[in-house]
Amino acid sequence: MPFNIAIDGLTASGKTSIGYSLAKRLNFKFIDSGLFYRYLAYYNINSTNFNQHTYDNLIDCSNSSAFSSLDISQKASELSKDEEIRTLINQEIKKLTKKKGFVVVGRDVSTNILPDAEFKILLSADFETRLGRRVNQLNEENPQNILYDIITRDIVSKPLINCSKKVSKEINTSDLDSFEVIEKILQIIKKKNSFKNFKRTLDQIENLSTTVITITKDYNYYLELTNWQLNSEVDEDAYVEAFPLLVDRVKFIEDLKNYYEARKNAFFKIERILPKDKDHESFDEIQEWRTTVLQGSKTGAKIALDKSSSAPILYYCPHCNHFRKIKFCKCCKKSINDDFDSESNESVESFESVTLSSITEESQKFRKNKGIFDDVIEKYSSKYISSQSGKVKNEYIFWSDNELRMDDSDNEIII
Ligand SMILES: Nc1ncnc2c1ncn2[C@@H]1O[C@H](COP(=O)(O)OP(=O)(O)O)[C@@H](O)[C@H]1O
Ligand SMILES: Nc1ccn([C@H]2C[C@H](O)[C@@H](COP(=O)(O)OP(=O)(O)O)O2)c(=O)n1
């Protein structure tokens, strides 16, 4: 997993509910450090022996009703003043989160537990909002009890939160619902991550020119072409060679056009989010990358798209069963329209009725549908792109839409 997320906040600021949902959304593991204090408080109150080894059982618990009573809360708050206990808990969580891919919530996660966390968030909300949330949550008949509980815990926690303020990005959640808070956090992650990944994308795009696309069909041969060769080759005889059946060929051209459209859009998307700020620490590096790699790749994709959109109508030669670009068959050394029999004439008509402009219309309709991007990628990654070119697949998934998703192949976060 690529990173950890630390979320701090006072009581009822939303740490647990937000942190848990965020973890699920990112397919991360969730740790509520407050639960560790409550867990110790439970053993303390019940005077039972504390079993350290069950710490792992506290991972991914968001609704620890066993430890949520007010007396446990109060005991937890008391224990949290003990430096030895703090150190013990911090060490335990540090160990558990070493592999990354965790959302950890608490009061001092960003400062003491995971000072190296890649993302540090501080959730805040005004006192009345927090009180209201907790009263609703616990359905407590006497809000006075909750009021008292929050005040005492705030007093203990405030110094920790003040430290967190200095290193974390603060989100005031008073006027935001949970969904909006999660979206804000995702935006913060995307923003930082998208730049970090430019370098990764750079390598991938450079590799595109040598990516081998293997077209294997139920024929006796296969074509191995690089991305850029592919487009210039397939609109020549190679279309026919690879796809003797008209229906396959038309389908392939359509896919190819969608593929280049997807590439073109991906490059535009990358360009749109490149930082334009001259003061940006990597501005020069990005500019260089923009001119040396991005521009070329984008232009290449546009040319390839134009080319595949204006692929020629082919002529059918009934003698050798091949389609030719001109009305002359080079293997039969004959002019093509001289002597069709009625059967092959039919083939020509059916092919001509499926000209490339009608394919364009179809694929435009297709493109309007949401998810086209994914369809194309999926098609190409499973069907046409060989295993060597997994990186191309990553690139498309990476830039495909605005959702954060995990790409299982390298466990990197995908935007
Ligand atoms: N932004 C929000 N808007 C409305 N309710 C929220 C929001 N964030 C959290 N809540 C609700 O407030 C209550 C307290 O949240 P919780 O996550 O338990 O806070 P904490 O872990 O910080 O004590 C829960 O019932 C939760 O669903
Ligand atoms: N990192 C942490 C987490 C919790 N604590 C303290 C704060 C609370 O008094 C208890 C229980 O925390 P918990 O987060 O479950 O409680 P809240 O409902 O958020 O106040 O532990 C802490 O001091 N440091």
Side-chain angles (χ1 to χ4, degrees), residues 8-12 15-16 32-35 37-38 73 76-78 80 86 90 105-109 113 134 153 156-157 160:
D8 289 318
L10 289 169
T11 298
K15 301 177 299 295
T16 313
D32 179 356
S33 61
L35 200 53
Y37 290 90
R38 289 172 183 270
S73 275
S77 183
E78 194 187 312
S80 74
R86 299 201 75 81
N90 292 359
V105 307
R107 305 288 190 290
D108 59 345
V109 186
I113 307 182
R134 191 57 101 221
R153 287 201 280 153
V156 179
S157 307
L160 296 173

Side-chain angles (χ1 to χ4, degrees), residues 206-245:
E206 277 174 346
N207 282 342
L208 284 181
S209 55
T210 52
T211 300
V212 172
I213 294 185
T214 310
I215 305 162
T216 42
K217 291 228 125 201
D218 298 335
Y219 308 119
N220 303 333
Y221 53 84
Y222 62 91
L223 293 181
E224 256 196 11
L225 303 162
T226 67
N227 277 357
W228 301 119
Q229 277 173 336
L230 182 72
N231 189 62
S232 48
E233 294 293 325
V234 290
D235 66 353
E236 310 291 326
D237 287 359
Y239 275 132
V240 182
E241 295 283 315
F243 305 104
L245 280 181

Side-chain angles (χ1 to χ4, degrees), residues 99-110:
K99 285 194 176 159
K100 308 254 175 189
F102 283 81
V103 175
V104 184
V105 307
R107 305 288 190 290
D108 59 345
V109 186
S110 58

Side-chain angles (χ1 to χ4, degrees), residues 246 313-315 347-356 358:
L246 177 64
I313 293 172
L314 303 180
Y315 298 92
S347 309
V348 172
E349 271 170 27
S350 64
F351 180 70
E352 284 186 338
S353 65
V354 194
T355 59
L356 281 163
S358 66

Side-chain angles (χ1 to χ4, degrees), residues 23 72 111 114 147 184 243 252 264 272 388 393 402:
I72 290 183
T111 49
L114 299 178
L147 179 71
K184 277 210 162 195
F243 305 104
F252 177 76
K264 192 193 75 182
R272 265 206 304 275
Q388 297 137 289
K393 182 181 158 206
N402 292 325

Side-chain angles (χ1 to χ4, degrees), residues 161-175:
I161 294 300
N162 285 341
C163 294
S164 172
K165 252 185 196 162
K166 294 184 188 142
V167 295
S168 304
K169 171 98 185 132
E170 184 169 356
I171 301 177
N172 187 333
T173 71
S174 304
D175 299 321

